[in-house]
Structures are given as C-alpha cells and as structure tokens.
C-alpha cells in the first residue's frame, strides 16, 4: 500500500500502482467523470499513469488551469488525428494548448490548401473520433526509435524536434490511429471532449522563422459541455464588438496611416484629449508622491546605448542608427528612457540626504516589431511610456518598491480594474548568460521584489523563471477586463546594473561614494496599450471625467440651431465638453447615433425647451431625466464629475 495525501492534508492508503483516475473513482463517480488530469507531487501527470510510491496529489477538473490545459492539449491531438484521416500524408509541427483553446501547425503538402471552409468537416470528424472513447496512451521511446518512427512517416518537422531532445526524455502519445511526439499529459480518453469549435486558419512560419516554411495554423476551442461552448462563443462575439481597433475608429480616437508607417499610431483630437486627461491624472498622482518631471530627446548617441547594454542586446534587431551627414556621428531612436534619466541623475553630485530621486517622463520610445506582429494600439513601433526611474539607497529599496505597488493599485482601482494578478519574473537559473550584471546584484534585486510582494500580502502571484528583463527582475501586473480577459499592464523593475554601467554615485553619511539602486516603473505600461485595454474594458463607455464628449446637443430641427449654439456656449463656459449634432436627420436617428458614439448625455431641444430656456436630458443607456434649466443641468453634470474626481483623490 502507498499513502496518498490530498490538498486538504488528509491521507488515505491505496494499492501501489493506483492511478489518479482510480483514486477519483474511489471518491465518487461524478468526480471520476469530471476529473481531467492529476498533479502528483506538483508535477502534472496523466490520469491513468500508475503512482508507485507515497505522493501528494491534486485532481484537476476543467475549472482548474491544469485540467483545462490537458483538455485542450488532448483536443489538439484529436484535431491532428482528424486531419490525418481527412488529409493523409499531412506533416505536423507543434500543437499546444493556449490561453483560450489550442492550435496545431500542420503542413498538408504543397497541393492541398486548408481554408476556413474546411473547418466544419474537420470539426465533424473530431466529434466522431471523440465519441469513440479512444484512450490516450503514453509510451517512453528511445531517441533512435522516435527518429525511426517519424523518419519512416516522412515528417521532417517532428524529426527536427526529436533531434534536439535528449535520449531518455522522449515520449509518444497514441490515440486511435494517431501517434504524436509529446511530453503530455493528456486526458484518459477522448470521451470528455463533447463540444468542439474550430475557429480560424492562419499562416505560421515553422519555429516562428520567416525564412522557413509557412505552415497552416488551425485554432480551435473545446469544452466538456455544449453550454460552455455556447457561452464562450458569445464572449468571443462580445469581444469582437469591443475590439479597440473597431471602437477606436468609430469613436474617432486614433488611426494609422500606411504613409506615416505601420505600427505608428496617430492620435485624433478626441483620442489625444482622452490621453491628455489620463496623463494629467497620473501627473497629479506623481506630484503628490514626490516625483519630479523631466523631458529627454527621442534619439541618443549610439555610445549611450552601448553603455546601457541595449546596443549589444537589441542593436541588430532594432531600428538601425541614424547618421549625421558631416560629422559621421551615429544616433539611435530611443527604445527606453532610462539611460537619459541616468545622465540626468549624474548631472550634479548627489548626497544620501536627497535620495530617493524620482524622475518621471511620458517618454516616447521606438522599438522595431515585425510588421506581421503589429496589432492596433497593443503592438506598435512607437509608444509613450508613463515612465519613471527612482534612484534610491539600498536601505530604501523595499520601501520605495512598496510605494510603487501602492500607486499602481490605486490607479487600477480608480479606473475600475479591480481584478488583477501579478507575476514575479526572475532570471532563468539555467541560462545566466542571457542577462547582464553580477550574480550578487541579481540575487539582491530578486530578493527585494519577493519581500515586497510578501509584505503586501498580495494574492494571485505567480513566479516565472526566465521572464526577467535582461538587466533585472520585475513585477508585472495583469488586469482582468469586463469580459474576464487578462491584459498585461503595469510593471516595476529593480536594477543594480544600469547604476553600475553609468557609474552613478551618491555621497553617503560616511562621506564615501556609494552606488544607488534604480527602480523602473510604468503603471500603465504605455499610454497606447492602456487606452486599448480601457476601450475594451469599458466598451468605449469611459467614465464621465475622462470621456472625450460629455454631452451632445440634438436640435429637433434646423429652426433651433441658434438656441443650440446658445446652449453650447453656455455649457462650454461651464467647462463641459459639448458638441452639436446639426445634421438634418430625424431626432430618433440622432439619438441612436449619439448612443453609438457613447456620449453620456444627450440634450434634446425643440420649441418647448427654447421657450423655457431648458434642455430635455437623456442619460446614455438609462433613458430620460426630464427637462432641466441650463444652470441646473450644468450643476448636475459637474457634481457627477466632481464625485468621480473626489473618489479619485482618496489618499494613497
Ligand atoms: Zn502533445
Ligand atoms: Zn527604465
């Protein structure tokens, strides 16, 4: 017998060789039907893999990330099996589970093209195969055997992958007539896969290398219940309606011009005003918390980036240097603001008494991204960071780090991102060459972040190895939007390396020279990314204090245009952002259009309103508020804004 420990700490005895599925069955039949994978001593295992010694286990259902992962990964294998049976001779790249489903990169041969029109056929085949309750079975194979199998099959993608693996670590998974190179884990069999939807077909270069062959990537999603699939598809539909690229255009916030260049956003007046208000909000928070504004240029001499280490790390894959015609100097577009801020720190001698120095800048940076990777405002080539650098003494590091966490949490709360998680990104201990700086500095910096997170008692924290920036570890904030999607926004990074490279100093109380520690932080990440997320989160219905147009005046006919002008003038004098819809459309259409433009207040004026010196007020999405005198409406709106701003002013 062996001892099995459950997550609640209870221990039960089972026969040696018992599987996760056997254990689930012994607990209840309904659990056995729902369980998808098992963690054995924190390692993810197949449900049917025998457990040979004492272990602690956790049974994963679909709700658990590890359960979902096994489910979607198994669905990818199922899709591959379906494709192989419909398109014999297809070769397979990789087929992972992803955040919302799975994909497989396939090469059906040069003669065959798989398009969106073929997806329902593949889907149907998958459902047939799933209902056959095919078992997923694991087999350890030698490297030679593995090469032999896929060599005989003529699948050069798999043999390339196998050639990079170490003998003794290779396993195959097999279901029905399909065999895949795979580490697993998988479901016990195909029967839980009840609802399947293949979503789209895209091109994807083998191993992400544009010089290699383009494979066909098929995306899909699957669920154990039809109702879950329906809900998911509904969510995708809603996400489409909230797509910031679509709303950005409809609400006239930003645009792109091929002539200006891909990935370089152009902020339209309404978008620029919205962004300015966000910046002002942040500037106020920063003023209140001891930051000082600075401004630095968009380019810097190549030497600057050689000193910072950016050139060695990114030089080749970056925008190339700009040269001056006469002197032969070389400049780079700035990919980061930090080096210039280091030079500002250095512009005068610093004493321990004046630390921390907190320098803030809305700094526009330029980073090269492949044109195929660009996406609306979330993946761009030029963007403005809400950046700041804190230079402090080592003994101030933890406190400063905690203060930055407070600012970020406050900003998220103000803008209604109440659901968030954090990721502590550390160095990959196996591959230290990727990073600059000494081991000792890295360890100190990593420790400071871990301690700060612990001191805050933060929940939903994950630690990821190998995700650190090349110069230091970081803490990233992921917010969940109204549809439950995760976005990465704010980031805080500790850095002992740039101060060393730039030879930053302060005179300590001992009259000796010391090196400050640097914190990089950007609560929004970038203005572009933040506005994109805000659009998708609010579906374009921004809070009243932030929204570009607060009220639209809708005269019911041309006769009332003069009065409309008068109302507009009055409201503008009260600092209310107003516009007039003077089109000769029916009032019903004007109302509908204004609602599509997400304008919070609609002010309808006709004969009666003109006579009474009033407006008839409608609140977007809430209906009539009745007739109001102009002063009355102005006060009404202002007090709503004031209440919002007051809530924002809560102390951090
Ligand atoms: Zn696999
Ligand atoms: Zn920085």
């Amino acid at each position: 017998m062996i001892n099995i420990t459950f997550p609640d700490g209870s221990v039960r005895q089972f026969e040696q060789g018992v599987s996760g599925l056997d254990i689930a069955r012994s607990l209840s039949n309904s659990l056995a039907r729902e369980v998808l994978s098992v963690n054995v001593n924190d390692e993810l295992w197949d449900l049917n893999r025998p457990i040979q010694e004492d272990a602690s286990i956790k049974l994963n259902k679909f709700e658990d990330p590890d359960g979902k992962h096994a489910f979607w990964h198994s669905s990818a294998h199922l899709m591959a099996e379906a494709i192989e049976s419909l398109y014999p001779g297809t070769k397979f790249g990789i087929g992972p589970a992803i955040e919302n489903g799975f994909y497989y990169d396939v090469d059906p041969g040069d003669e065959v093209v798989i398009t969106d029109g073929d997806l329902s056929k593949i889907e149907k085949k998958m459902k047939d195969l799933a209902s056959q309750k095919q078992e997923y079975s694991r087999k350890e194979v030698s490297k030679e055997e593995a090469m032999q199998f896929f060599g005989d099959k003529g699948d050069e993608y798999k043999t390339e992958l196998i050639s990079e693996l170490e003998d003794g670590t290779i396993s195959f998974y097999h279901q029905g007539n399909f065999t895949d190179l795979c580490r697993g884990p998988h479901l016990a069999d195909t029967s839980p896969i009840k609802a399947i939807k293949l979503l789209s077909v895209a091109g994807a270069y083998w191993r992400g290398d544009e010089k290699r062959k383009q494979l066909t990537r098929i995306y899909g999603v699957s669920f154990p219940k039809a109702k879950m699939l329906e809900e998911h598809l509904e969510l995708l539909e809603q996400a489409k309606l909230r797509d910031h690229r679509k709303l950005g255009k409809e609400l006239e916030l930003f645009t792109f011009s091929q002539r200006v260049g891909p990935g370089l956003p152009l902020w339209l007046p309404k978008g620029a005003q919205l962004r300015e208000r966000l910046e002002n909000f942040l500037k106020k928070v920063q003023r209140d918390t001891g930051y000082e504004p600075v401004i630095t240029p968009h380019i810097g001499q190549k030497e600057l980036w050689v000193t910072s280490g950016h050139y060695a790390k990114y030089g080749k894959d970056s925008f190339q240097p700009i040269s001056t015609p006469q002197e032969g100097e070389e400049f780079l577009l700035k990919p980061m603001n930090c080096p210039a801020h280091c030079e500002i720190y250095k512009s005068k001698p610093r004493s321990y008494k004046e630390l921390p120095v907190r320098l803030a800048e809305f700094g526009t940076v330029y980073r090269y991204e492949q044109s195929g990777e660009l996406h609306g405002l979330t993946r761009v080539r030029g963007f403005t960071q809400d950046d700041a650098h804190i230079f402090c003494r080592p003994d101030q590091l933890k406190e400063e780090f905690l203060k930055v966490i407070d600012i970020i949490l406050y900003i998220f709360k103000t803008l209604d991102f109440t659901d968030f998680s954090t990721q502590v990104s550390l160095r990959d201990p196996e591959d230290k060459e990727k990073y600059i700086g000494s081991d000792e500095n890295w360890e100190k910096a990593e420790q400071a972040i871990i301690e700060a997170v612990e001191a805050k008692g933060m929940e939903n924290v994950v630690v990821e190895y190998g995700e650190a920036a090349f110069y230091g570890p970081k803490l990233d904030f992921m917010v969940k939007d109204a549809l439950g999607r995760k976005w990465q926004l704010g980031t805080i990074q500790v850095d002992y390396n740039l101060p060393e490279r730039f030879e930053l100093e302060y005179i300590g109380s001992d009259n000796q020279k010391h090196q400050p520690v640097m914190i990089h932080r950007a609560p929004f990440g970038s203005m572009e990314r933040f506005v994109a997320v805000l659009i998708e989160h609010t579906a374009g219905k921004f809070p009243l204090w932030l929204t570009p147009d607060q009220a639209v005046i809708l005269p019911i006919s041309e006769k009332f245009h003069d009065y409309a002008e008068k109302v507009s003038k009055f409201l503008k004098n009260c600092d209310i952002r107003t516009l007039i819809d003077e089109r000769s459309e029916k009032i019903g259409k004007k109302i509908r259009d204004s609602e599509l433009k997400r304008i919070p207040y609609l002010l309808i004026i006709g004969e009666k309103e003109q006579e009474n010196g009033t407006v008839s007020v409608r609140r977007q999405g809430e209906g009539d508020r009745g007739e109001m005198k102009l002063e009355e409406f102005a006060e009404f709106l202002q007090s709503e804004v004031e209440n919002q701003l007051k809530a924002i002013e809560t102390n951090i």
Side-chain angles (χ1 to χ4, degrees), residues 336-338 385 387-389 471 493 498 518 520-521:
M336 283 187 162
N337 304 302
C338 356
Q385 294 179 308
D387 210 1
H389 295 98
Y471 51 80
Q493 311 181 352
L498 277 190
M518 197 171 165
H520 312 247
R521 46 111 275 183

CSV table of all heavy atoms in Angstrom, one decimal, residues 336-338 385 387-389 471 493 498 518 520-521, ligand 2:
chain,number,residue,atom,x,y,z
A,336,MET,N,14.2,53.1,-24.9
A,336,MET,CA,14.0,53.2,-23.4
A,336,MET,C,14.4,54.6,-22.9
A,336,MET,O,15.3,55.2,-23.5
A,336,MET,CB,14.8,52.2,-22.7
A,336,MET,CG,14.2,50.8,-22.8
A,336,MET,SD,15.1,49.7,-21.7
A,336,MET,CE,13.9,48.4,-21.6
A,337,ASN,N,13.8,55.0,-21.9
A,337,ASN,CA,14.1,56.4,-21.3
A,337,ASN,C,15.2,56.3,-20.3
A,337,ASN,O,15.8,57.3,-19.9
A,337,ASN,CB,12.9,57.0,-20.7
A,337,ASN,CG,11.7,57.1,-21.7
A,337,ASN,OD1,11.8,57.7,-22.7
A,337,ASN,ND2,10.6,56.4,-21.4
A,338,CYS,N,15.4,55.1,-19.8
A,338,CYS,CA,16.3,55.0,-18.6
A,338,CYS,C,17.7,55.6,-18.7
A,338,CYS,O,18.1,56.3,-17.8
A,338,CYS,CB,16.4,53.6,-18.1
A,338,CYS,SG,15.4,52.4,-19.0
A,385,GLN,N,5.6,55.7,-22.9
A,385,GLN,CA,5.6,55.1,-21.6
A,385,GLN,C,5.3,56.1,-20.5
A,385,GLN,O,5.8,57.2,-20.6
A,385,GLN,CB,6.9,54.4,-21.3
A,385,GLN,CG,7.3,53.3,-22.2
A,385,GLN,CD,8.7,52.7,-21.8
A,385,GLN,OE1,9.6,53.5,-21.7
A,385,GLN,NE2,8.7,51.4,-21.6
A,387,ASP,N,6.6,56.6,-17.8
A,387,ASP,CA,7.8,56.1,-17.2
A,387,ASP,C,8.3,56.9,-16.0
A,387,ASP,O,8.0,58.1,-16.0
A,387,ASP,CB,8.9,56.1,-18.3
A,387,ASP,CG,9.9,55.0,-18.2
A,387,ASP,OD1,9.8,54.2,-17.2
A,387,ASP,OD2,10.8,54.9,-19.0
A,388,ALA,N,9.0,56.2,-15.2
A,388,ALA,CA,9.7,57.0,-14.1
A,388,ALA,C,10.8,56.1,-13.6
A,388,ALA,O,10.7,54.8,-13.7
A,388,ALA,CB,8.8,57.3,-13.0
A,389,HIS,N,11.9,56.7,-13.1
A,389,HIS,CA,13.0,56.0,-12.5
A,389,HIS,C,13.3,56.5,-11.2
A,389,HIS,O,13.4,57.7,-11.0
A,389,HIS,CB,14.2,56.1,-13.4
A,389,HIS,CG,14.0,55.4,-14.7
A,389,HIS,ND1,13.6,56.1,-15.9
A,389,HIS,CD2,14.0,54.1,-15.1
A,389,HIS,CE1,13.4,55.2,-16.8
A,389,HIS,NE2,13.6,54.0,-16.4
A,471,TYR,N,18.2,43.2,-17.8
A,471,TYR,CA,19.0,43.9,-16.8
A,471,TYR,C,18.5,43.8,-15.3
A,471,TYR,O,19.1,44.3,-14.4
A,471,TYR,CB,19.1,45.4,-17.1
A,471,TYR,CG,17.7,46.0,-17.4
A,471,TYR,CD1,16.9,46.3,-16.3
A,471,TYR,CD2,17.2,46.1,-18.7
A,471,TYR,CE1,15.6,46.8,-16.5
A,471,TYR,CE2,15.9,46.6,-18.9
A,471,TYR,CZ,15.1,46.9,-17.8
A,471,TYR,OH,13.9,47.4,-18.1
A,493,GLN,N,10.5,47.3,-12.0
A,493,GLN,CA,11.7,46.5,-12.2
A,493,GLN,C,12.8,47.1,-11.3
A,493,GLN,O,13.0,48.3,-11.2
A,493,GLN,CB,12.1,46.6,-13.6
A,493,GLN,CG,11.0,46.2,-14.6
A,493,GLN,CD,11.4,46.2,-16.0
A,493,GLN,OE1,12.5,46.6,-16.4
A,493,GLN,NE2,10.5,45.8,-16.9
A,498,LEU,N,22.2,49.1,-14.4
A,498,LEU,CA,22.4,50.4,-15.0
A,498,LEU,C,23.2,51.4,-14.2
A,498,LEU,O,24.1,52.1,-14.6
A,498,LEU,CB,21.1,51.0,-15.5
A,498,LEU,CG,20.5,50.5,-16.8
A,498,LEU,CD1,19.3,51.4,-17.2
A,498,LEU,CD2,21.6,50.5,-17.9
A,518,MET,N,18.3,51.4,-8.7
A,518,MET,CA,17.4,52.0,-9.6
A,518,MET,C,16.1,51.2,-9.7
A,518,MET,O,16.2,49.9,-9.7
A,518,MET,CB,18.0,52.1,-11.0
A,518,MET,CG,17.4,53.0,-11.9
A,518,MET,SD,18.6,53.1,-13.3
A,518,MET,CE,17.5,53.9,-14.5
A,520,HIS,N,12.7,50.9,-12.2
A,520,HIS,CA,12.0,51.4,-13.3
A,520,HIS,C,10.5,51.1,-13.1
A,520,HIS,O,10.2,50.0,-12.6
A,520,HIS,CB,12.3,50.6,-14.6
A,520,HIS,CG,13.8,50.4,-14.9
A,520,HIS,ND1,14.4,51.0,-16.0
A,520,HIS,CD2,14.8,49.7,-14.2
A,520,HIS,CE1,15.7,50.7,-16.0
A,520,HIS,NE2,15.9,49.9,-15.0
A,521,ARG,N,9.6,52.0,-13.4
A,521,ARG,CA,8.2,51.7,-13.2
A,521,ARG,C,7.3,52.4,-14.2
A,521,ARG,O,7.6,53.5,-14.6
A,521,ARG,CB,7.7,51.9,-11.8
A,521,ARG,CG,8.1,53.3,-11.2
A,521,ARG,CD,7.0,54.2,-11.0
A,521,ARG,NE,6.7,54.9,-12.2
A,521,ARG,CZ,5.7,55.8,-12.3
A,521,ARG,NH1,5.0,56.1,-11.3
A,521,ARG,NH2,5.5,56.5,-13.4
B,2,LIG,ZN1,13.6,52.2,-17.4
